[in-house]
Amino acid sequence: MNPIILALFDVSIFILLAEILSSLVQKHSLPKLIGELLAGMIIGPYALGSLLNQLVGFSLISINSYIEFLAEFSVILLIFASGLEHGIAPIKSSGILGSLGATFGALLPFFAAYYFYMPDFGLDSSLILGAAMGATSLAAVASIIEEEKLKGKGINFMVSAAAVDDVVDLLLLSVILAILQGTSTSVTSISLKIITLVVIWLIILTVSVILVPKITDRLSDKYIEEFPLAVLFGLTLLMVSLGYSPIISAFVAGVAFANSIKSEKIKEISNILLSVFGPLFFVYIGAEVNFLTLNLNTLLLSLELTAIATIFKWLGIFPFALAYLRNVKAANTVAFGMVPRGETGLVIASIGLSYNALNLEEFEGIVFMSLFTTLIGSALFKSYAKKHLTS
């Protein structure tokens, strides 16, 4: 069977089931991304999909490279839409407090996991486990904010901190990979690498925010559908080649286009694409959950990781959110909203597995931790957000 046709069929089924389950969970005041995650867990190749495959005699439901490609496209679109909706204002308005919240929110879970697991798991595993718990899932945050049409100071702080802590976690991961590869790990070389990554990111962000709107404003409306995508994926190609995550480049591109007078038209195009592909990334995450290999040790590890990730992310974010918002309930809500790990934890887990820094049990522990924190954080955030983040 042609794998492209199979992938298109699978994607259509994934999206349909995601929409059905999202509608059901929303009736119980839960965020739609929980329905999308559950859709993947139910129809995925390790659950109902496995039974269907046996029934038809071939791999009808699977996760192949084409589905991975579309899932990556989905998350890039989602982050682009978030940057486009909020622009540079959140980063400016939350300022140093947002950056400090992002930094401590990434570093506290990292060091907690590192020191907790170092004695039993060793250096390589503990470093990867810590890094996987660093960055908030910007996709999960963006999905709920867009779904609920939330705005205000608390949302500005969240968007800013979630974008910045991806950069902080990237710096952590870069240092960890240098250690795993056995390259120079002196204080000087690590400091130079961190400074270089930060400076390059700031330069790209500044140039994009200044240049992209000017070009877009002078561009004929005839090209308004194609030009944003060309910039989005051109910028992604550039930043990925420099070692950054596509999540960071997508947010930068969205922020840049938000400053254009044609941003509303671009939002319309983005929303149309998201209406079709938006759910796919979270369905893909759910479909990656393999219940066949789940055992008690994996479950206990994932619960430990979830507890560490939740508690220390909250501890890192809450004080700075409180200093910025001056409202305990609002700051607490923001801290809950930063709990989901989602795509970032999964990406780092995959890297750790490819470097043989993780065994299968540790890898699956991160997968379930990413899932649990996304479910817990998104549910708590949505339940409190409308009450405490409406202004």
Side-chain angles (χ1 to χ4, degrees):
M1 182 67 73
N2 187 320
I4 297 177
I5 301 301
L6 277 175
L8 291 173
F9 171 78
D10 289 348
V11 166
S12 65
I13 295 299
F14 288 171
I15 292 174
L16 175 61
L17 184 59
E19 189 61 35
I20 294 171
L21 291 181
S22 295
S23 298
L24 290 175
V25 300
Q26 283 178 304
K27 290 181 180 179
H28 298 282
S29 299
L30 294 172
K32 63 182 294 187
L33 72 84
I34 290 182
E36 294 162 1
L37 287 166
L38 290 174
M41 294 169 67
I42 291 170
I43 198 65
Y46 305 112
L48 183 59
S50 176
L51 297 176
L52 292 174
N53 292 344
Q54 293 178 32
L55 186 64
V56 300
F58 64 93
S59 295
L60 178 66
I61 304 294
S62 64
I63 302 296
N64 60 26
S65 58
Y66 301 106
I67 292 178
E68 291 175 3
F69 155 71
L70 290 172
E72 186 79 3
F73 177 60
S74 168
V75 74
I76 288 173
L77 279 178
L78 187 59
I79 302 307
F80 174 74
S82 179
L84 183 62
E85 179 66 30
H86 299 283
I88 197 71
I91 297 176
K92 284 183 177 179
S93 66
S94 61
I96 189 67
L97 289 173
S99 297
L100 286 172
T103 301
F104 280 86
L107 291 180
L108 286 184
F110 168 77
F111 283 114
Y114 172 75
Y115 285 112
F116 187 80
Y117 290 109
M118 176 65 181
D120 296 325
F121 290 8
L123 177 66
D124 293 357
S125 293
S126 57
L127 286 172
I128 293 293
L129 287 169
M133 291 193 285
T136 294
S137 169
L138 187 53
V141 170
S143 177
I144 299 169
I145 291 172
E146 297 305 315
E147 176 191 347
E148 297 297 315
K149 306 299 181 186
L150 298 170
K151 292 184 179 180
K153 287 184 67 177
I155 299 304
N156 287 347
F157 185 94
M158 280 187 65
V159 172
S160 172
V164 173
D165 83 355
D166 265 328
V167 178
V168 174
D169 214 48
L170 165 69
L171 300 178
L172 273 176
L173 184 60
S174 300
V175 173
I176 290 167
L177 292 181
I179 294 172
L180 296 181
Q181 292 166 346
T183 54
S184 176
T185 56
S186 66
V187 173
T188 303
S189 65
I190 290 174
S191 299
L192 184 61
K193 187 175 184 67
I194 290 173
I195 292 169
T196 302
L197 286 168
V198 171
V199 169
I200 291 173
W201 175 67
L202 289 173
I203 290 173
I204 292 175
L205 176 63
T206 303
V207 171
S208 299
V209 168
I210 294 172
L211 198 59
V212 169
K214 289 182 178 180
I215 296 173
T216 306
D217 292 348
R218 296 176 183 176
L219 194 70
S220 169
D221 287 349
K222 181 179 179 181
Y223 307 109
I224 200 63
E225 289 89 358
E226 295 82 8
F227 182 68
L229 292 178
V231 171
L232 168 60
F233 292 107
L235 190 60
T236 298
L237 180 62
L238 170 64
M239 295 190 72
V240 167
S241 69
L242 294 173
Y244 295 87
S245 163
I247 295 169
I248 297 172
S249 62
F251 187 77
V252 169
V255 165
F257 278 109
N259 290 337
S260 169
I261 59 174
K262 298 181 181 179
S263 61
E264 290 303 318
K265 178 62 178 176
I266 298 172
K267 286 178 187 177
E268 290 177 15
I269 299 164
S270 173
N271 289 336
I272 291 170
L273 290 171
L274 280 176
S275 67
V276 179
F277 294 103
L280 185 57
F281 177 74
F282 293 107
V283 180
Y284 168 73
I285 290 179
E288 286 287 293
V289 175
N290 188 349
F291 293 100
L292 302 177
T293 59
L294 181 63
N295 57 48
L296 183 59
N297 288 335
T298 303
L299 182 59
L300 290 175
L301 175 61
S302 65
L303 291 175
E304 285 178 359
L305 292 172
T306 299
I308 293 171
T310 301
I311 292 168
F312 286 93
K313 173 64 75 172
W314 187 93
L315 288 173
I317 292 291
F318 179 78
F320 299 101
L322 181 60
Y324 178 71
L325 297 171
R326 301 184 182 279
N327 182 304
V328 172
K329 291 181 178 179
N332 191 50
T333 303
V334 166
F336 282 143
M338 297 290 287
V339 165
R341 297 308 193 270
E343 75 282 351
T344 311
L346 293 173
V347 168
I348 292 175
S350 299
I351 291 172
L353 198 62
S354 68
Y355 275 82
N356 295 316
L358 297 177
N359 60 33
L360 186 60
E361 183 178 297
E362 293 160 354
F363 171 79
E364 291 179 344
I366 294 176
V367 171
F368 280 102
M369 178 276 296
S370 298
L371 180 64
F372 292 156
T373 54
T374 299
L375 290 170
I376 293 167
S378 59
L380 287 172
F381 174 68
K382 182 173 180 179
S383 66
Y384 290 107
K386 281 192 173 181
K387 297 177 184 177
H388 306 305
L389 295 180
T390 53
S391 60

